[in-house]
Amino acid sequence: MSIKKQFVKTKPVCKVTFVLAGGDALKASVVGDFNSWDASAGALTKLKNGNFKGVFDLSKDATYEFKYLVDDAYVNEEEADDYVWNEFAGSENSVLVV
């Protein structure tokens, strides 16, 4: 798993690339504050090597909570900027700072 941040000089956005090892997974999404936890809005594309990848434009100077949704199971990002406890889910969420 990895996250790549590319800041755009001409716009107040950051292009964030999420890459997730796919293994035997059939589908994957990134869900979080930036897309109202909507799996269809955060759908990742499966690559030939089996990984999943997606690029999203996120507002700069913001902090977002997120998780991956892999075949209906929530997974945290190992390289997240931080983690916060989510009382609703009873587990930690990954945190992305841009």
Side-chain angles (χ1 to χ4, degrees), residues 5-31:
K5 302 172 191 174
Q6 182 180 8
F7 292 91
V8 179
K9 292 181 182 179
T10 58
K11 297 180 183 177
V13 298
C14 179
K15 289 192 175 293
V16 180
T17 303
F18 295 92
V19 178
L20 174 66
D24 295 332
L26 300 176
K27 61 182 178 176
S29 297
V30 60
V31 295

Side-chain angles (χ1 to χ4, degrees), residues 29-88:
S29 297
V30 60
V31 295
D33 294 339
F34 52 86
N35 63 9
S36 301
W37 298 87
D38 181 355
S40 61
L44 301 175
T45 302
K46 189 159 189 173
L47 305 175
K48 289 181 181 180
N49 66 5
N51 290 344
F52 289 92
K53 180 179 178 181
V55 180
F56 302 90
D57 288 347
L58 303 182
S59 296
K60 290 193 314 189
D61 302 321
T63 301
Y64 302 98
E65 291 184 34
F66 75 99
K67 283 186 178 264
Y68 294 112
L69 184 59
V70 182
D71 287 343
D72 301 319
Y74 288 99
V75 179
N76 273 325
E77 167 61 58
E78 296 169 354
E79 297 180 12
D81 296 321
D82 201 1
Y83 301 93
V84 296
W85 184 254
N86 177 340
E87 283 292 328
F88 179 75

